[in-house]
Amino acid sequence: MFDETKHELTKQYELVRINKINSIQKTGTVVLRREDVLYQYSVTSFEELEEQMMYYDDNGEIKLLSVEMRNKLQHMGHEYVVNGYRPLVVSSKIITDENIINADDIMFEGILVFKDLIRESIYDALTMFKKFNINFKILSGDSLDVVKNAVSQIGLDELKTLTGDEIVDMSPDELQIFIKGVNVFAKLTPMEKSMVIHDFVRHDNVVAYVGDGSSDVHAIKKADVGIAPNTSTPLAKKFADIIILDKNLTNFDGAIH
């Protein structure tokens, strides 16, 4: 049931500043003002949970976030991830300057959990890829566990994976050799996505890349054919060669002929 009292409480806060979370800026933050007091609320991934998270509210009593409690939170986050969810940690702090985001001595407030839904059209798209002998690969900024869970839902077998952390430790020659058999790339930065696409192009492959966010722009530009859904960010659509209207890749069936 909707709590009208909480709705009324939100009206007492003025939105002062927003720092959006994205593939580069891993923490999203809003600054709110109420009666001349500034409140900073942030969301970040469990992987970014560092020692700055110092306190939590235990039924109205503010307590230090112990190593044991921190480990419990990390374990909880891991359980969400391996089951295909995206958990984000919410923290807060009272600040004195709206222009300075302060990450020290912050309060743990809770966890937001999201789950990606698999589009039904993906199964028809995979059938089309097989029909035309198209080598389908996944490039994602998400953690390997999240990507593996999504891949398991669409029935892809014989996975060979590579993460951005592993790419960083490879020479260009090693990467060029290793990526040939990889079909799932995870935890990639925007530049790492671009590097992977560039290496596939260098192998004399005709490469099409589908992406909808600002983090996909470099990869879209590197591909032979950059594709962006109509719901993509303006920057992704600007550099795409093709814009699709309904996110259904099977519409390319006729064009591939």
Side-chain angles (χ1 to χ4, degrees):
M1 181 178 294
F2 180 72
D3 190 336
E4 186 64 35
T5 60
K6 291 184 178 179
H7 177 61
E8 289 299 319
L9 181 62
T10 62
K11 295 180 180 179
Q12 301 176 24
Y13 291 85
E14 172 195 356
L15 178 61
V16 176
R17 179 180 175 183
I18 299 177
N19 282 9
K20 293 184 178 180
I21 190 170
N22 54 47
S23 58
I24 299 174
Q25 174 62 43
K26 298 297 186 181
T27 300
T29 302
V30 296
V31 176
L32 305 175
R33 179 185 287 112
R34 182 189 181 198
E35 298 178 352
D36 295 327
V37 179
L38 292 172
Y39 299 88
Q40 168 189 301
Y41 288 91
S42 299
V43 291
T44 189
S45 67
F46 271 85
E47 293 178 351
E48 301 294 320
L49 185 62
E50 302 292 348
E51 294 301 319
Q52 294 94 333
M53 193 83 71
M54 291 298 295
Y55 306 100
Y56 71 103
D57 188 333
D58 184 8
N59 293 321
E61 181 182 356
I62 305 302
K63 295 182 178 180
L64 281 172
L65 195 62
S66 64
V67 173
E68 180 183 4
M69 179 63 72
R70 195 182 303 276
N71 289 339
K72 285 183 179 179
L73 292 175
Q74 291 284 11
H75 177 73
M76 186 185 303
H78 178 72
E79 287 297 308
Y80 279 127
V81 168
V82 297
N83 285 289
Y85 295 90
R86 299 167 184 260
L88 294 175
V89 179
V90 183
S91 65
S92 70
K93 183 181 177 69
I94 295 177
I95 58 176
T96 57
D97 188 336
E98 64 189 61
N99 296 309
I100 300 177
I101 302 301
N102 193 323
D104 295 325
D105 296 342
I106 53 181
M107 172 88 71
F108 169 76
E109 292 286 357
I111 302 169
L112 296 174
V113 182
F114 302 89
K115 185 175 180 64
D116 288 331
L117 299 178
I118 303 298
R119 291 178 176 271
E120 288 297 325
S121 61
I122 187 61
Y123 303 104
D124 292 332
L126 291 174
T127 300
M128 182 190 72
F129 295 153
K130 186 175 181 179
K131 171 184 174 182
F132 292 109
N133 198 29
I134 295 173
N135 197 352
F136 171 65
K137 299 180 185 292
I138 296 174
L139 281 68
S140 175
D142 290 326
S143 71
L144 183 57
D145 285 326
V146 168
V147 178
K148 279 184 173 180
N149 185 277
V151 168
S152 69
Q153 294 181 58
I154 60 177
L156 290 184
D157 299 320
E158 299 181 8
L159 300 185
K160 187 172 182 182
T161 65
L162 188 65
T163 67
D165 292 339
E166 292 169 326
I167 289 175
V168 169
D169 294 330
M170 291 182 177
S171 69
D173 289 339
E174 288 173 330
L175 177 61
Q176 190 174 16
I177 294 171
F178 194 82
I179 67 169
K180 291 181 180 180
V182 176
N183 53 10
V184 174
F185 298 84
K187 202 177 178 182
L188 299 180
T189 66
M191 291 310 299
E192 287 164 354
K193 287 182 181 180
S194 176
M195 287 170 56
V196 170
I197 295 300
H198 178 65
D199 269 25
F200 280 125
V201 171
R202 284 188 357 178
H203 279 106
D204 295 323
N205 298 293
V206 177
V207 179
Y209 180 86
V210 183
D212 62 1
S214 298
S215 64
D216 296 302
V217 169
H218 293 293
I220 287 173
K221 292 166 65 176
K222 287 288 184 182
D224 295 302
V225 182
I227 303 170
N230 196 39
T231 53
S232 303
T233 62
L235 202 57
K237 292 195 289 185
K238 176 182 178 180
F239 289 101
D241 301 296
I242 298 173
I243 297 175
I244 53 179
L245 299 180
D246 60 1
K247 286 192 175 182
N248 189 342
L249 293 178
T250 57
N251 291 333
F252 286 101
D253 192 306
I256 294 174
H257 290 294

